[in-house]
């Protein structure tokens, strides 16, 4: 992209004024390319929030025997959020007198930036990702964890006691829930042997039996633990203590109004989709549908590994990716909808009960499942993943089998691989390192 | 708590957290109107709660000293605006007591129907708002859905949906409209199965149980000492209901009606209907029991309405014409308490012989119920404060009058 901007766009532009063309790796191209990508991702988040807020209203309306919005934008009130957004933009921008003005203004952006930076590594389909990070999961978990800073800042800087309570609650809650959530996320990583979300997704291609959810009973249980922790870490009911409206007025965003407030809101919905999407990739096969219509089993349209490596374009592959994207979004939206359903059904937990849930149930359960999954993998017990081993690529199960003799052959082979890569110049390797 | 000292060497070892005074209300979503609570908190733990009242004071009693009893009826509506029918009834009975006015029997049955329907409407709000206090929004709307139907019925009777001014000294402003009883019956038939939904959403919900059981335990002795009445009192296991134990003029209305006072006796609630069992975590007198008593009273009120309708339609005679506006009140005084949804609501009036009372006074049930709140909130968490205040089920209009 940067090269394209430098060598084609800018240079053509400069050519009109008889100025020398820029080199292909000039910084200007990178800045512009970064801007383009950022704007794209922001739109994904903002439009996503737009849809989810509307959906939340509709879902809550239906749950509560109401219609929800019906007027704005013609049918179904689908433009309601936009109208609300316009209202929020036109509202007066208030900073309370005893607020720490700088931090108060900074907080929503910290929250929002953390939430939307997570999208950078979230693959929407096979290879459709902002940037393929080889430790994508790690990146997303770390970035989502940053969101809490915005909330704590808001709580501290608002100069309101209720906000302070909200901020402190959030700090205690989110930091605790990061632990079991990290454990749950480790399980697919252990099964797949990769932190790259694309690799994890690719390994679950084929029939739905190949999903990690069905790898073994422990993996099945751990999904529910993950979902609980994810709900808690994005502050959704029944864990929405930081903004408990019946106790803390509005918690950390009590003093916020207008656009700043809407940034918190967007961050919330952004991270809701993010953790649901993560659940879809880690446990539900990501962009792979339950039946591999585009896979080699049936239509054989999807890109092959060689094609991906070569970067060729083929319409069939593109359509398969598009369908995968729809699949992925569908799964993630289902997760978001379940979160909404929970929110409008259950009462809120108390702070001590939230901590109990985390420390007494989620952490031990996550740890037990982790040991269980590792044991299952090690003992090669029967797994539904064996039912329809995928044809095109190395499957979760095969990968597990290959990696099993960890102590001797596996280590040796990996050392081989690393050495080869080092020869090729991509991975610097030091003497004696086996990774 | 560490003591304060001037010695700087000691201060260094005096590690303690600061206490914080937090203002909860008068503009707070869960103080049910304009109650102001000052919480003294240490982190999340509340060590002291102080209630400040008076934000909704409207001089209702003073106004009553300048109006005839019938003219004051609308002001009683605006006291406990969620159970306006029951407030009308209390004042009417007090005035009738002073007048030594005998009601026709049909009027009594009409009043039972109306008062018990009012109780259902009030407890529905109490239940829904309690869910709101605990952070769940849907039960509130489910409760309002049914209450709307009740309000439609009331609207048909008197033309108003909130401040009815329907029951007046002498009976009621009008008879029940034609075909109204059938509509009530249809409503009850539709309403009865819905109660199971409320139980599923709240009463038996495990988070709800966690949030309410063992919270704000009000021992029976304390309930009596503080003058708590209504579901507050019965939630503590005291078998006291003015519909059975009250003054003859009031209990006359319920004469011959089959009903049991909803309170835990010998470890169990009267089981004349099917409702969920008491969870093992619940302690007698806690928030859960207060909520449960209200829910059971709704079921019982349905039963009473049915009995009242049967009697009303079979009793011949007049529905009770209201007294004339200019009716002279005999010299003397009268005080009468009735069992309102929130507790015992008493009305007192003194007359010097003119048509306008010389002194009017209302004894508020919520006021006494709320007085115990600071005792209940001692040492609880911040999240428990709305849970406890909500379980008292206050209406600030009645407290401040």
């Amino acid at each position: 992209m940067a090269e394209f901007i430098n060598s084609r766009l800018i240079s053509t532009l400069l050519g009109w004024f008889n100025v020398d063309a820029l080199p292909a790796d000039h910084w200007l191209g990178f800045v512009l390319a970064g801007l383009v990508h950022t704007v794209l991702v922001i739109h994904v988040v903002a439009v996503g929030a737009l849809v989810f807020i509307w959906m939340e209203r509709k879902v809550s309306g239906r749950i509560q025997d109401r219609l929800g919005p019906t007027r704005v934008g013609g049918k179904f009130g689908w433009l309601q959020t936009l109208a609300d957004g316009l209202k929020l933009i036109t509202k007066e921008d208030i900073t309370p007198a005893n607020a720490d003005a700088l931090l108060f203004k900074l907080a929503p952006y910290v929250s929002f930036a953390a939430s939307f930076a997570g999208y950078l590594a979230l693959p929407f389909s096979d290879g459709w990702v902002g940037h393929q990070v080889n430790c994508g999961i790690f990146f997303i978990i770390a970035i989502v964890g940053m969101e809490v800073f915005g909330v704590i800042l808001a709580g501290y800087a608002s100069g309101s006691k209720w906000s302070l309570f909200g901020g402190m609650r959030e700090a205690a809650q989110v930091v605790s829930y990061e632990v079991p959530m990290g454990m749950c996320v480790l399980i697919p990583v252990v099964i797949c042997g990769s932190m790259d979300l694309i690799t994890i997704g690719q390994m679950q291609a084929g029939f739905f039996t190949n999903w990690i959810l069905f790898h073994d009973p422990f993996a099945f249980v751990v999904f529910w633990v993950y979902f609980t922790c994810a709900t808690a870490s994005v502050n959704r009911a029944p864990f929405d203590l930081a903004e408990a409206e019946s106790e803390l007025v509005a918690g950390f965003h009590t003093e916020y109004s207008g656009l700043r407030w809407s940034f918190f809101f967007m961050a919330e919905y952004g991270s809701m989709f993010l953790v649901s999407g993560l659940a879809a990739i880690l446990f539900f096969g990501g962009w792979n549908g339950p039946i591999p219509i585009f896979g080699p089993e049936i239509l054989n349209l999807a890109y092959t590994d060689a094609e991906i490596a070569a970067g060729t374009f083929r319409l069939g592959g593109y359509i398969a990716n598009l369908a995968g994207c729809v699949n992925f979004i569908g799964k993630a939206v289902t997760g978001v909808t379940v979160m909404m359903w929970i929110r409008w059904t259950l009462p809120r937990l108390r702070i001590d009960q939230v901590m109990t849930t985390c420390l007494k149930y989620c952490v031990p359960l996550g740890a037990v499942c982790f040991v269980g999954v590792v044991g299952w993998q090690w003992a090669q017990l029967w797994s539904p993943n064996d039912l329809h081993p995928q044809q095109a690529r190395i499957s979760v199960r095969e990968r597990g089998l290959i990696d099993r003799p960890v102590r001797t052959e596996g280590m040796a082979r990996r050392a081989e691989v690393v050495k080869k890569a080092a020869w090729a110049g991509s991975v610097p390797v030091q003497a004696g390192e086996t990774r | 708590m560490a003591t304060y000292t001037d010695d700087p060497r000691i201060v260094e070892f005096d590690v303690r957290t600061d206490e914080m005074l937090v203002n909860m209300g008068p503009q707070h979503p869960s103080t049910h109107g304009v109650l102001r609570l000052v919480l003294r908190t240490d982190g999340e733990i509340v060590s002291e709660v102080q209630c400040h009242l008076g934000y909704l004071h409207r001089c209702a009693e003073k106004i009553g000293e300048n109006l005839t009893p019938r003219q004051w009826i609308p002001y009683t509506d605006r006291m406990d605006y969620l159970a306006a029918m029951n407030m009308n009834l209390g004042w009417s009975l007090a005035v009738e007591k002073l007048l030594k006015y005998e009601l026709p029997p049909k009027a009594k049955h009409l009043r039972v129907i109306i008062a018990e329907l009012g109780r259902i409407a009030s407890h529905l709000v109490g239940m829904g708002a309690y869910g709101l206090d605990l952070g769940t929004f849907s039960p509130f709307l489910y409760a309002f859905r049914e209450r709307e139907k009740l309000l439609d019925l009331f609207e048909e009777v008197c033309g108003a949906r909130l401040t009815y001014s329907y029951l007046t000294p002498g009976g009621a402003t009008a008879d029940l409209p034609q075909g109204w009883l059938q509509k009530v019956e249809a409503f009850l038939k539709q309403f009865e199965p819905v109660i199971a939904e409320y139980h599923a959403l709240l009463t038996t919900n495990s988070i709800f149980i966690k949030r309410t059981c063992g919270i704000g335990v009000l021992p029976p002795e304390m309930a009596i000492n503080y003058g708590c009445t209504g579901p507050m009192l019965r939630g503590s296991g005291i078998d006291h209901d003015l519909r059975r134990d009250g003054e003859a003029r009031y209990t006359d209305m319920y004469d011959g009606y089959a009903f049991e006072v909803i309170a835990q006796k010998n470890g169990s609630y009267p089981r004349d209907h099917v409702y969920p069992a008491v969870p093992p975590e619940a302690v007698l007198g806690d928030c859960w029991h207060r909520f449960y008593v209200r829910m059971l009273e709704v079921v019982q009120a349905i039963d009473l309405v049915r009995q009242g309708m049967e009697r009303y339609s079979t009793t011949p005679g007049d529905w009770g014409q209201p007294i004339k506006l200019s009716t002279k009140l005999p010299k003397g005084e009268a005080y009468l308490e009735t069992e309102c949804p929130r507790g015992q609501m008493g009305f007192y009036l003194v007359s010097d012989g003119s048509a306008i009372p010389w002194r009017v006074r209302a004894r508020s049930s919520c006021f006494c119920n709320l007085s115990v709140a600071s005792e209940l909130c001692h040492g609880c968490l911040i999240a428990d404060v709305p849970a406890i205040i909500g379980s008292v089920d206050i209406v600030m209009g009645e407290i401040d009058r």
Side-chain angles (χ1 to χ4, degrees), chain A residues 251-265:
Chain A
F252 66 91
H253 57 63
T254 306
E255 302 292 342
Y256 283 88
S257 64
L259 202 58
R260 289 183 211 290
W261 180 82
S262 75
F263 268 99
F264 276 123
F265 223 57

Side-chain angles (χ1 to χ4, degrees), chain A residues 7 16 20 24 41 58 91 119 136 187 192 236 240 273 302 308 310 315 327 377 395 399 402:
Chain A
S7 54
W16 294 346
D20 286 344
V41 176
K58 278 312 236 194
K91 273 183 141 180
Y119 281 75
I187 283 167
C192 297
R236 291 289 292 184
D240 58 342
F273 183 82
I308 291 176
L315 188 64
N327 248 325
Q377 184 92 329
S395 75
R399 175 73 176 241
I402 293 167

Side-chain angles (χ1 to χ4, degrees), chain B residues 87 119 169 172 195 245 252 268 273 279 338 362:
Chain B
M87 302 297 281
R119 195 181 306 277
I195 294 174
D245 309 322
D252 256 10
S268 68
H273 295 276
T338 56

Side-chain angles (χ1 to χ4, degrees), chain B residues 329-387:
Chain B
L329 298 169
K331 218 170 182 165
E333 58 179 15
Y335 179 67
L336 191 122
E337 280 189 354
T338 56
E339 188 71 35
C340 273
R342 282 174 186 73
Q344 298 176 8
M345 184 73 208
F347 283 101
Y348 177 62
L349 72 164
V350 183
S351 167
D352 54 0
S354 69
I356 291 168
W358 179 77
R359 174 79 174 100
V360 170
R361 160 111 183 100
R363 183 254 182 219
S364 159
S365 52
C366 293
F367 183 81
C368 296
N369 290 350
L370 185 64
S371 67
V372 81
S374 59
E375 196 85 33
L376 295 184
C377 292
H378 190 78
C380 71
L381 294 173
I382 287 182
D384 291 334
V385 173

Side-chain angles (χ1 to χ4, degrees), chain B residues 7 127 135 174 216 227 261 333 369:
Chain B
D7 190 341
M127 181 210 82
V261 174
E333 58 179 15
N369 290 350

Side-chain angles (χ1 to χ4, degrees), chain A residues 352-368:
Chain A
D352 57 325
Q353 291 160 350
V354 166
M355 300 309 255
T356 313
T357 312
C358 172
L359 300 174
K360 256 170 109 176
Y361 301 107
C362 289
V363 171
L365 210 58
V368 166

Side-chain angles (χ1 to χ4, degrees), chain A residues 174-426:
Chain A
V174 173
V175 170
S176 316
Y177 271 93
E178 294 277 302
V179 176
M181 193 170 163
M183 277 186 193
C184 299
V185 161
L186 269 186
I187 283 167
V189 172
V190 163
I191 291 175
C192 297
S194 169
M195 278 216 209
D196 189 345
L197 286 169
I198 297 241
T199 314
I200 292 177
Q202 283 172 348
M203 284 185 165
Q204 301 176 69
F207 283 90
F208 66 92
T209 49
N210 286 348
W211 295 354
I212 292 177
L213 186 73
F214 303 118
H215 182 268
D216 61 77
F218 295 105
F220 190 81
V221 169
V222 98
F223 162 71
W224 302 105
V225 181
Y226 169 82
F227 197 73
T228 311
C229 299
T231 313
S233 68
V234 298
N235 263 315
R236 291 289 292 184
F239 305 104
D240 58 342
L241 294 169
E243 45 186 303
E245 84 278 351
S246 62
E247 298 148 23
L248 306 184
V249 188
F252 66 91
H253 57 63
T254 306
E255 302 292 342
Y256 283 88
S257 64
L259 202 58
R260 289 183 211 290
W261 180 82
S262 75
F263 268 99
F264 276 123
F265 223 57
M266 275 202 275
E268 182 185 332
Y269 283 90
S271 30
M272 255 168 87
F273 183 82
L274 196 62
V275 293
S276 300
L278 211 55
I281 293 179
L282 294 182
F283 296 99
F284 287 95
W287 55 84
N288 300 298
I291 298 162
I293 300 173
F294 296 98
E297 290 89 346
I298 299 176
L299 288 179
N300 200 8
L301 281 175
Y303 286 123
T304 60
D305 283 342
E307 278 175 320
I308 291 176
T312 43
F313 177 83
R314 183 158 54 76
L315 188 64
Y318 188 81
I319 291 172
N321 263 354
L322 205 62
C325 187
V326 171
N327 248 325
F328 171 78
I329 290 177
K331 283 172 190 171
V333 167
T334 310
V336 173
T337 316
V338 171
M339 282 185 182
M340 290 174 183
W341 177 20
I342 293 171
R343 172 176 177 185
W344 296 107
T345 310
L346 294 180
R348 185 181 303 114
L349 285 165
R350 215 166 47 207
I351 181 78
D352 57 325
Q353 291 160 350
V354 166
M355 300 309 255
T356 313
T357 312
C358 172
L359 300 174
K360 256 170 109 176
Y361 301 107
C362 289
V363 171
L365 210 58
V368 166
C369 287
F370 183 75
V371 174
V373 166
V374 171
W376 200 279
Q377 184 92 329
W378 178 76
Q380 286 184 45
L381 296 177
W382 182 84
S383 150
N385 285 183
D386 296 339
L387 286 175
H388 298 283
Q390 55 163 304
Q391 296 165 10
R393 296 194 174 107
I394 192 163
S395 75
V396 171
R397 193 61 181 161
E398 286 162 39
R399 175 73 176 241
L401 295 184
I402 293 167
D403 283 359
R404 208 191 127 256
V406 183
R407 283 170 192 281
T408 51
E409 302 159 43
M411 266 178 142
R413 197 170 52 247
R414 267 195 221 164
E416 200 88 1
V417 170
V418 171
K419 220 179 274 173
K420 267 184 200 157
W423 269 101
S426 62

